[in-house]
Amino acid sequence: MDTRGRNARSAALQAVRVACRMKILAKRTGDRESAQDSLTAGLLSPGHDGEVDCEATRSPLPGASEDGSLRPGPHVRQNPVLSDLSAMKELITSQWVNMLLVCVPLGLLAGFKGWAPIPIFCWNFMALVPLALLLGDVTEDLALRLGPVTGGLVNATFGNVTEVVLSIAALHKGLLSVVANSLVGSILSNLLLVMGMSFFVGGFVRKTQEWNTTSNRSYNSLLYLASIGIVLPTAAAHVVPSQGVNWVLDVSRGVAVLLLLCYVAYLVFQLHTHHDLFDEADEESLHAQPNQVSDGPHSQPRGDFHSQVSPFLNRISSSRRSSVALSVHDHKVEELPVLTMAGAFLALSVISVLVAIHSEFLTGALEETSKDTGISTAFLSIIVLPIAGNACEHITAVVVASKDKMDLSLGIAVGSSLQIALFAIPVVVLVGWLIGQPMSLNYDLFSVIALMLAVMQAAQVTADAQSHWFMGVQLCVLYFLIAIVYWFRVDDPK
């Protein structure tokens, strides 16, 4: 079974990164220009009917085996250190977002030199965006070496490490409300803003879009369960306040353990016992052609809009065009890791340390930034902070939706929400228990109401596994309605 199907989110990230990896492998053979020409002419050039021209892909790329798959031969071998450095260079230069890496030294300098709170907050915030993207790239590369099941677990565990590290940094400073708001904000932005923009852009490419109903039902039921797990401790604390803080903490920790167990069961379901259901969804989405009329009576493409918006989307994320390469039927393209095992672990460690340092500086300057700017900490934590860890994936979800690959797009939007709700939130509660911080699931009442409304609205619009642009408008409007409330909200002096 192809590693693309190990889970929906992993499949989406693979689809948008395979061209970069092919480019790196080709460069190792010393024939980079030939490989780029083959990739451009054969894999990315559409035919007259809107399908990929596979005849141009008959000649193998440098380093490819006789059957056409990318398997590095003996001549590809080189010094592991040079190989890893070359791979990291390609990963960094392949996407325009990584230009924000210049903010990394500025953020470190601002934090260590004790600059004003606003520069510290801004520079470290911008530094986290490309670091989160690189962390995802390296995690994906490491997962390729570990096999479908172990690799899927690695992706699931490290998929939201930026949010977890950011939350733990705030938790260590006692900013419990910031932790709660940032995690809820990540769910809200994924469910409403990301999915809404995906529906909106995809709805102008095609009149209607469809996706796998089985995975959709699994996502929705799990989201309801996770939101109930958050709502119950909050409701109990407000209904029976006489029970005291310790009672709420005990309930929250018990709920956190149950949510983690549910997350483990979800991984077993998706990666092992029923992985074929998600494999089929990914295969169908990867083979979908944005200009091809489907069997549905209302699925005609809107070619004029697509011809106008595609160049813009491709400029946003040039390396993400690789999803077209994966849709070639009769030319086998196998995604291979470009980093050595040691190189991947080293890069993962260095990036994780940088994420931790920037998160520490960012959370440390949050309250003073709120006072200096007049923007409430609630707005900064529930609207602004989630952008740092999710911005690049937000772009990916919209891009693949514009190519009518809705299973991949929803795998990012809803899959990320599930990982936050079932993994990140329980982990933060348990970490608070370990370090002596009274982190509970007794969240702000309005945040819990907003979360339930978002889950209900998302489940409502995705119930029939079909979308159009107006559904995207509805989701985005709900997100902005919530944002307006937090914009004008004044922080509680307590």
Side-chain angles (χ1 to χ4, degrees), residues 18 21 25 69-72 141 144 334-339:
V18 67
R21 299 183 188 285
L25 289 172
S69 62
L70 273 175
R71 299 181 184 277
D141 193 272
L144 290 174
E334 180 181 353
E335 188 179 12
L336 297 174
V338 295
L339 293 169

Side-chain angles (χ1 to χ4, degrees), residues 380-404:
L380 291 175
S381 56
I382 205 166
I383 303 297
V384 177
L385 287 186
I387 297 175
N390 299 328
C392 299
E393 290 183 355
H394 291 185
I395 297 173
T396 305
V398 176
V399 170
V400 297
S402 72
K403 299 177 183 294
D404 198 29

Side-chain angles (χ1 to χ4, degrees), residues 138-321:
V138 175
T139 301
E140 175 67 22
D141 193 272
L142 181 61
L144 290 174
R145 290 192 175 275
L146 300 177
V149 177
T150 307
L153 291 173
V154 169
N155 268 314
T157 303
F158 287 93
N160 294 97
V161 68
T162 304
E163 291 89 340
V164 173
V165 172
L166 189 61
S167 298
I168 293 176
L171 185 65
H172 188 263
K173 296 180 181 298
L175 303 175
L176 305 185
S177 62
V178 172
V179 175
N181 286 335
S182 64
L183 293 174
V184 172
S186 294
I187 299 176
L188 294 177
S189 64
N190 280 308
L191 280 185
L192 300 179
L193 184 61
V194 178
M195 190 157 58
M197 289 302 299
S198 298
F199 287 173
F200 183 78
V201 174
F204 276 102
V205 175
R206 300 175 70 88
K207 191 171 183 179
T208 60
Q209 295 178 297
E210 299 178 354
W211 54 90
N212 183 273
T213 56
T214 303
S215 59
N216 183 60
R217 285 193 297 268
S218 301
Y219 288 150
N220 287 338
S221 61
L222 275 174
L223 279 173
Y224 268 118
L225 177 61
S227 59
I228 290 172
I230 297 173
V231 167
L232 285 179
T234 303
H238 285 80
V239 172
V240 282
S242 59
Q243 294 289 342
V245 176
N246 291 333
W247 178 79
V248 176
L249 285 174
D250 292 338
V251 171
S252 299
R253 290 159 183 170
V255 170
V257 172
L258 289 176
L259 290 179
L260 280 177
L261 291 176
C262 184
Y263 182 64
V264 173
Y266 162 65
L267 292 180
V268 173
F269 175 80
Q270 192 178 50
L271 301 177
H272 182 62
T273 62
H274 290 71
H275 62 85
D276 54 314
L277 299 178
F278 297 90
D279 292 344
E280 293 173 2
D282 297 336
E283 289 294 330
E284 292 173 1
S285 183
L286 283 169
H287 291 300
Q289 296 297 332
N291 294 324
Q292 182 179 355
V293 179
S294 69
D295 296 333
H298 303 292
S299 297
Q300 295 85 359
R302 299 198 171 191
D304 293 339
F305 179 83
H306 187 269
S307 63
Q308 297 173 12
V309 78
S310 289
F312 172 73
L313 293 174
N314 288 333
R315 285 198 300 272
I316 288 178
S317 181
S318 59
S319 68
R320 305 193 190 298
R321 297 169 60 193

Side-chain angles (χ1 to χ4, degrees), residues 220 224 454-466 471 474:
N220 287 338
Y224 268 118
V455 172
M456 292 170 62
Q457 178 72 354
Q460 176 68 24
V461 300
T462 60
D464 58 353
Q466 190 178 74
M471 286 184 176
Q474 297 173 46

Side-chain angles (χ1 to χ4, degrees), residues 192 450 453-455 457-458 473-483:
L192 300 179
L453 292 175
V455 172
Q457 178 72 354
V473 171
Q474 297 173 46
L475 292 173
C476 290
V477 167
L478 178 55
Y479 182 78
F480 292 126
L481 286 174
I482 296 172

